[in-house]
């Protein structure tokens, strides 16, 4: 891990980046912001870890907890909302038996996220399964896609 | 005789999502595999282009033979071989797949200025942009015009900020030009955070060079040598295409030192946002570029005086910059004549929601809402009745049917309690609950409030609590008045644009749809049958034929009945998810 972090540090110095760019590199590399990585940078740059977390928790792009292997994003923009994105979410939660407040399945295979708008409103409601966009979705269609994924060996 | 054949495949946001890349691949394979390869390659070129506009019918493919355009809609890879064989080789367009009348009606009332290259040229090819007169305006501005002259042209074009607030662009540049400073910044705001909006995304992805050119001209006008394009991280393709365009500009000597040999220097860098709606606000965006939490700061001075790193900064929206090269080339009079007296030019809108023809449109300011929704948008889908159109996203409001004849410009939209905003336009029909819509937007602004000032942080929270109790049937008499009072207070006391406009969706729906609020509060009913806690599902015996589709689909096992016999819904286990309503083909499920 240290090697990876060194590499990020070098790029950051070369590009005159800031805390946000470090966090973006971490998010890109690990899929979330690992605590030990933050501590490492905090020591190297003599910036308190709280500054990193203050920023990480402010922006929606950063995840503090590791996500599941497959990420399902349901768009909750206005156009998707009026075309029933809530039903997609509740359908998914039922399918995965997710308790209130939890967004990743116990086996860590799936994470459900809702985002404000992915910008493909012309084909609402929209969901993304591992970055692939699916338009004009219904809960049943979405679950069918997920079942195909469950059948396969899952992985990003 | 050599003919010029061009195949253009829509690779805008929804073109890609519906499989545009597969269609391009299919064309490539098809062209490669046929025996007349040499002839084809000489005559025919394949292009990926930005959004063609009519997203509802993607993937759109335009085939141009000898200048004659043919548009195919809903193209799938399997259809490609026939198009190549019959149309390109034999010269007979495949009539049954050609876009129909709707496509032409969709474009009839549009005037494309900002979008004129979108869907026409390959966004990843600087030569395509140069071929349509690209960077001519920058050349003119750099070699022939003084900063004062540029500012004067922009001023008299009547162009106003397309990000939403509508501040006159020329005035903004003038303020910055007059301030003396060694370091000044130009920032392009591409943090399109409004849910229901994809205008800037389409421009950045479909015609990135026009944005860069606008920024170069602005840099020359105010005397800046460093620019940033702030793009939200959710738009990876926009980032990619802008980066390609920037690299091409450096290679062509259009960015960097001594641009076009004029001695003028300008560097441009992309900065990726990290997902915060409030960063669309100028001061918050600048704090974000500085690497801090994106929290707005009090506007004791304008950004034109003290902006990024406390230096004079001009910050404009993507669409604003994309307009600039066209204004410089074609003149201020031409541009201002397109709009109304107070607002010049055209505006791009993302027309979505319950529309027949959802998509990306560009219209002259001053057009009526009715023309947009019925003539361009083709009216409401599924034959339902129009209820309202939501403009301006979370900062805007809902405009009811009786006001559809107002002209679209900054002032008249503000007068009816909404705003122009960045250009999201979501159409709602009779099955949409206005209280639910207001709650939806407030949930959004409440979650996106940065928490710095109390009116926004606590005020929106209290308003949301009230809306929540209205939608679950626990509201009290006087709640509407309380919402109005709170809303007014938040509107005058918040620190930044987010809080100042957050109550708009609630106040405008109360203003025009007060009876819906009252029905929720007094009768505990949701007239549009949306609010779960106020509706019940039942099966209409005369329509049920016992097919069992609802029973199989019900996730809560709340539907009972034997096959071919009338089914019933047990209200006890029913979770009101609405699945049965969606799956029933015989309209036998009733919700009220």
């Amino acid at each position: 891990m240290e090697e990876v972090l060194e590499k990020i540090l070098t790029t950051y110095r070369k590009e005159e980046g800031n805390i946000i760019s470090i966090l973006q590199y971490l998010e890109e590399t690990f899929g979330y912001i690992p605590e030990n990585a933050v501590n490492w940078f905090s020591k190297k740059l003599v910036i308190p870890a709280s500054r990193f977390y203050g920023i990480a928790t402010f922006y929606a792009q950063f995840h503090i907890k590791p996500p599941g292997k497959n990420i399902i994003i349901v768009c909750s923009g206005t156009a998707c909302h009026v075309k029933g994105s809530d039903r997609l979410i509740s359908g998914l939660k039922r399918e995965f038996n997710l308790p209130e407040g939890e967004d990743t399945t116990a086996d860590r295979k799936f994470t459900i996220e809702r985002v404000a708008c992915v910008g493909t409103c012309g084909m609402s409601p929209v969901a993304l399964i591992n970055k692939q966009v699916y338009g004009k979705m219904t809960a049943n269609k979405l679950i069918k896609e997920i079942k195909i994924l469950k059948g396969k060996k899952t992985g990003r | 005789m050599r003919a010029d054949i061009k195949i253009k495949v829509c690779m805008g946001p929804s073109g890609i999502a519906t499989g545009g890349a597969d269609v391009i691949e299919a064309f490539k394979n098809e062209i490669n595999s046929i025996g007349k390869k040499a002839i084809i390659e000489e005559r025919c070129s394949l292009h990926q282009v930005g959004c063609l506009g009519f997203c509802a019918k993607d993937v759109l493919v335009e085939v141009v033979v000898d200048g004659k355009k043919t548009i195919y809609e809903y193209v799938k890879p399997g259809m490609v071989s026939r198009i190549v064989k019959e149309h390109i080789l034999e010269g007979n367009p495949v009539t049954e797949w050609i876009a129909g009348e709707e496509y032409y009606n969709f474009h009839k009332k549009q005037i494309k200025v900002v979008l004129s290259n979108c869907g026409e040229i390959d966004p990843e090819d600087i030569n395509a942009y140069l071929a349509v007169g690209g960077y001519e305006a920058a050349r003119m501005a750099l070699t022939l015009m003084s900063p004062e002259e540029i500012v004067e042209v922009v001023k008299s074009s009547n162009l106003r900020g397309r990000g939403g607030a509508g501040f006159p662009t020329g005035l903004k540049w003038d303020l910055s030009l007059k301030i003396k400073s060694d370091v000044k910044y130009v920032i392009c705001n591409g943090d399109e955070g409004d849910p229901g909006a994809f205008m800037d995304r389409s421009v950045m992805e479909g015609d990135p060079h026009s944005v860069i050119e606008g920024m170069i001209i602005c840099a020359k006008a105010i005397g800046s040598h460093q620019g940033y394009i702030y793009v939200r991280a959710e738009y990876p393709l926009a980032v990619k295409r802008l980066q390609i365009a920037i690299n091409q500009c450096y290679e062509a000597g259009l960015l960097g030192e001594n641009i076009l040999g004029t001695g003028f220097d300008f560097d441009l860098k992309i900065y990726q946002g990290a997902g915060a709606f409030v960063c669309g606000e100028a001061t918050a965006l600048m704090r974000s570029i500085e690497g801090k939490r994106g929290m707005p700061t009090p506007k004791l001075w304008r950004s034109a005086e003290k902006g990024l790193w406390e230096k004079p900064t001009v910050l404009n929206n993507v669409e604003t910059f994309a307009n600039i090269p066209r204004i410089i080339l074609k003149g201020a009079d031409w541009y201002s004549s397109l709009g109304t007296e107070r607002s010049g030019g055209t505006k791009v809108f993302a027309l979505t929601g319950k529309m027949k023809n959802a998509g990306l449109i560009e219209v002259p300011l001053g057009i009526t809402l009715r023309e947009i929704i019925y003539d361009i948008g083709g009216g409401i889908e599924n034959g339902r009745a129009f209820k309202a159109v939501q403009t301006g996203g979370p900062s805007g409001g809902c405009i009811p049917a009786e006001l559809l004849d107002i002209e679209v410009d900054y002032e008249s939209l503000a007068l009816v309690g909404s705003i122009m905003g960045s250009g999201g336009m979501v159409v709602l029909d009779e099955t949409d609950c206005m209280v639910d819509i207001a709650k939806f937007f407030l949930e959004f602004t409440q979650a996106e409030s940065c928490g710095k000032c109390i009116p926004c942080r606590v005020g929106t929270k209290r308003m949301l609590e009230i809306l929540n109790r209205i939608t679950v049937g626990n509201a009290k008499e006087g709640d509407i008045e309380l919402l109005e009072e709170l809303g007014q207070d938040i509107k005058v006391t918040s620190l930044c644009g987010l809080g100042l406009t957050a109550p708009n969706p609630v106040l405008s729906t109360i203003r025009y749809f007060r009876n819906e609020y009252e029905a929720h509060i007094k009768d505990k009913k949701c007239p549009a049958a949306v609010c779960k806690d106020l509706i019940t599902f039942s099966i209409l015996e005369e329509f049920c034929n016992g097919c069992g589709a609802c029973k199989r689909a019900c996730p809560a096992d709340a539907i009972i009945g034997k096959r071919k016999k009338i089914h019933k819904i047990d209200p006890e286990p029913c979770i009101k998810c609405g699945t049965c309503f969606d799956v029933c083909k015989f309209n036998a499920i009733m919700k009220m």
Side-chain angles (χ1 to χ4, degrees):
Chain A
M1 181 162 170
E2 189 130 343
E3 252 172 55
V4 183
L5 300 184
E6 282 286 359
K7 222 169 134 192
I8 294 176
L9 188 66
T10 323
T11 342
Y12 152 82
R13 291 213 161 112
K14 205 177 88 199
E15 293 182 354
E16 297 167 34
N18 53 40
I19 296 184
I20 296 180
S21 35
I22 292 179
L23 291 171
Q24 282 174 333
Y25 288 129
L26 289 176
E27 179 79 27
E28 204 180 280
T29 317
F30 301 102
Y32 74 111
I33 311 291
E35 196 180 327
N36 43 6
V38 170
N39 292 334
W40 189 88
F41 275 107
S42 162
K43 273 204 194 106
K44 282 268 175 186
L45 301 170
V46 204
I47 298 171
S50 60
R51 283 271 304 280
F52 284 89
Y53 277 108
I55 289 162
T57 51
F58 184 86
Y59 294 101
Q61 192 191 358
F62 304 121
H63 300 83
I64 303 299
K65 284 193 288 183
K69 270 190 174 168
N70 297 289
I71 298 177
I72 301 158
I73 294 175
V74 178
C75 178
S76 302
T78 321
C80 291
H81 174 79
V82 298
K83 292 228 181 164
S85 62
D86 276 350
R87 288 212 286 279
L88 298 186
I89 301 253
S90 53
L92 283 177
K93 291 210 157 164
R94 275 199 307 276
E95 173 67 20
F96 291 134
N97 243 328
L98 279 180
E100 202 53 45
E102 189 56 66
D103 53 13
T104 303
T105 52
D107 60 6
R108 308 217 67 81
K109 279 203 175 130
F110 292 94
T111 292
I112 304 176
E113 257 184 65
R114 50 196 309 171
V115 297
C117 187
V118 295
T120 49
C121 316
M123 44 198 289
S124 52
V126 174
L128 287 86
I129 305 177
N130 296 328
K131 293 189 178 164
Q132 167 78 37
V133 183
Y134 293 83
K136 301 200 169 130
M137 268 291 147
T138 64
N140 285 344
K141 275 205 256 178
L142 193 55
I143 287 163
K144 214 182 256 171
E145 292 292 338
I146 285 157
K147 283 197 172 139
I148 297 173
L149 213 57
K150 269 186 179 169
K152 282 190 211 155
K153 277 202 173 149
T154 50
R156 253 189 286 178
Chain B
M1 191 179 80
R2 267 183 57 176
D4 189 21
I5 302 176
K6 282 190 179 136
I7 305 167
K8 299 175 180 177
V9 180
C10 176
M11 287 285 272
S14 57
I16 290 172
T18 41
D22 297 339
V23 172
I24 289 196
E25 207 45 47
F27 269 109
K28 263 189 208 156
N29 292 339
E30 195 60 32
I31 292 172
N32 283 336
S33 72
I34 38 182
K36 298 166 186 167
K37 189 183 165 208
I39 309 168
I40 290 274
E41 269 185 357
E42 252 175 57
R43 294 178 59 202
C44 172
S45 56
L46 180 64
H47 308 268
Q48 56 163 345
V49 294
C51 187
L52 277 161
F54 205 166
C55 307
K57 306 222 176 218
D58 265 322
V59 177
L60 294 162
V61 173
E62 187 180 285
V63 177
V64 192
V65 181
D66 294 331
K68 193 173 174 294
K69 290 180 181 179
T70 311
I71 301 266
Y72 291 104
E73 55 189 27
Y74 300 119
V75 177
K76 299 266 173 283
M79 295 156 70
V80 167
S81 72
R82 237 187 103 186
I83 296 178
V84 171
K85 184 170 172 283
E86 294 180 19
H87 190 166
I88 293 167
L89 290 178
E90 293 165 12
N92 304 315
V94 188
T95 35
E96 70 249 48
W97 295 335
I98 293 179
E101 208 179 322
E102 265 180 351
Y103 185 86
Y104 297 97
N105 288 340
F106 181 76
H107 285 102
K108 216 157 60 188
K109 290 208 168 170
Q110 295 194 48
I111 295 180
K112 302 221 169 175
V113 176
V114 170
L115 298 180
S116 59
N117 291 336
C118 252
E120 289 293 328
I121 64 169
D122 183 342
E124 293 181 14
D125 181 6
I126 189 172
N127 293 319
Y129 185 66
L130 291 170
V132 292
Y135 292 107
E136 255 329 291
R139 187 185 300 272
M140 269 173 72
L142 290 174
T143 54
L144 303 172
M145 296 169 85
S146 71
E148 288 77 12
E149 279 169 341
I150 300 174
V151 168
E152 198 41 52
V153 172
V154 176
K155 257 187 181 171
S156 52
S157 74
N158 238 345
L159 171 67
R160 296 170 63 174
R162 295 294 188 246
F167 191 82
T169 307
L171 205 57
K172 194 185 262 184
W173 291 16
D174 199 20
L175 282 172
S176 193
L177 166 65
K178 288 189 176 132
I179 290 162
K180 289 214 163 49
S181 170
D182 299 344
V183 183
K184 290 182 187 178
Y185 295 105
V186 175
I187 304 176
C188 172
N189 184 350
D191 189 52
E192 188 169 54
D194 282 18
F198 54 96
M199 301 76 53
D200 295 348
R201 173 182 182 164
S202 303
V203 174
M204 289 187 285
E205 293 181 1
D207 193 13
H209 281 289
S210 67
V211 182
I212 297 172
E213 188 175 3
M215 292 182 76
I216 296 173
I217 296 167
C218 174
K220 159 83 188 205
I222 66 161
S224 158
H225 304 292
Q226 176 67 54
Y228 292 93
I229 307 180
Y230 188 95
V231 191
R232 66 197 290 242
E234 288 90 334
Y235 288 175
L237 186 65
V239 174
K240 184 187 145 204
R241 289 195 176 150
L242 281 166
Q243 192 59 59
I244 292 173
I246 289 176
N247 296 346
Q248 289 170 342
C249 283
Y250 272 104
E251 275 170 33
L254 288 158
L255 281 175
E257 282 174 17
N258 193 16
I259 297 175
L260 297 171
T262 57
F264 183 74
D265 307 338
F266 184 57
D267 281 301
L268 190 55
K269 223 172 136 177
I270 295 177
Y271 191 89
Q272 282 194 54
F277 175 65
V278 71
C279 286
E281 201 273 345
T283 57
L285 187 151
M286 291 174 201
R287 297 301 86 78
S288 178
I289 293 183
E290 291 166 4
K292 300 173 186 151
R293 283 166 72 102
M295 298 186 23
T297 39
K299 282 195 171 142
L300 302 176
W301 40 76
R302 292 201 159 272
S303 318
E305 302 161 55
K306 260 188 193 184
L308 187 63
W309 289 297
E310 306 227 320
K311 298 291 178 194
T313 304
V314 162
L315 184 139
N316 278 130
N317 160 274
V318 170
E319 197 185 325
T320 315
F321 279 126
N323 269 307
I324 299 290
R326 280 92 182 191
I327 293 172
I328 299 287
L329 273 187
K330 293 195 177 177
D333 292 344
W334 161 79
Y335 192 78
S336 63
S337 72
L338 291 175
T340 63
E341 209 170 292
R342 284 172 301 193
S343 332
T346 57
K347 174 85 193 83
V348 182
F349 289 101
L351 192 58
T352 61
K354 307 291 177 68
M355 296 300 304
K356 263 195 196 139
N357 308 338
L360 186 74
I361 62 164
E362 181 169 0
V363 289
L365 288 167
I367 194 172
T368 66
L369 282 169
R370 190 182 299 281
E371 285 174 284
I372 292 180
I373 291 163
Y374 287 94
D375 297 344
I376 296 172
I380 311 301
E381 61 177 9
N382 300 330
R384 295 205 187 105
F386 171 90
K387 189 181 230 170
V389 53
Q390 208 282 341
T391 69
S395 314
C398 291
I399 302 167
E402 59 267 28
L403 294 173
L404 273 182
D405 289 310
I406 61 164
E407 290 184 348
V408 176
D409 69 12
Y410 294 91
E411 282 76 18
S412 44
L413 287 182
L415 209 62
V416 298
S418 187
I419 63 163
M420 175 89 101
S422 57
M425 218 175 241
V426 184
V427 174
L428 309 170
D429 70 17
E430 56 191 328
T431 61
D432 290 307
C433 167
M434 300 315 283
V435 186
D436 175 70
I437 294 292
K439 190 179 93 175
F440 166 80
F441 281 116
L442 217 61
E443 263 171 6
F444 179 82
T445 34
Q446 196 270 321
E448 292 292 337
S449 169
C450 80
K452 185 169 184 167
C453 74
I454 297 163
C456 179
R457 182 181 72 229
V458 185
T460 55
K461 184 120 191 150
R462 293 291 97 84
M463 282 182 82
L464 182 59
E465 284 165 1
I466 298 169
L467 286 169
N468 268 329
R469 67 177 186 245
I470 293 177
T471 54
V472 300
N474 288 336
K476 301 185 293 243
E477 282 284 321
D479 270 354
I480 300 179
E481 290 71 21
L482 188 55
L483 278 175
E484 286 176 318
E485 194 190 329
L486 262 172
Q488 284 308 335
D489 290 347
I490 295 169
K491 272 184 86 156
V492 291
T493 53
S494 292
L495 171 64
C496 83
L498 192 152
L500 293 171
T501 57
N504 282 349
V506 182
L507 296 177
S508 75
T509 45
I510 292 179
R511 180 164 158 192
Y512 299 116
F513 301 94
R514 201 183 185 97
N515 55 343
E516 276 194 42
Y517 279 83
E518 280 165 354
H520 282 75
I521 297 170
K522 288 183 186 140
D523 314 329
K524 312 283 179 212
K525 283 260 183 288
C526 175
V530 170
C531 300
K532 262 189 190 180
D533 294 273
L534 304 180
I535 52 172
T536 48
F537 286 84
S538 55
I539 291 176
L540 294 165
E541 294 188 0
E542 59 270 38
F543 291 111
C544 178
N545 66 359
C547 72
C550 56
K551 191 178 168 185
R552 285 191 298 277
C554 178
D557 292 326
I559 298 178
I560 35 180
K562 287 208 175 85
R563 210 175 145 66
K564 304 251 163 128
K565 294 267 158 56
I566 291 165
H567 285 49
K568 271 199 162 57
I569 297 176
D570 184 354
E572 200 55 41
C574 175
I575 54 171
K576 299 176 184 176
C577 65
T579 308
C580 52
F581 187 85
D582 292 337
V583 297
C584 181
K585 292 192 178 101
F586 308 97
N587 298 324
I589 308 280
M590 191 168 77
K591 51 178 180 179
M592 61 174 291

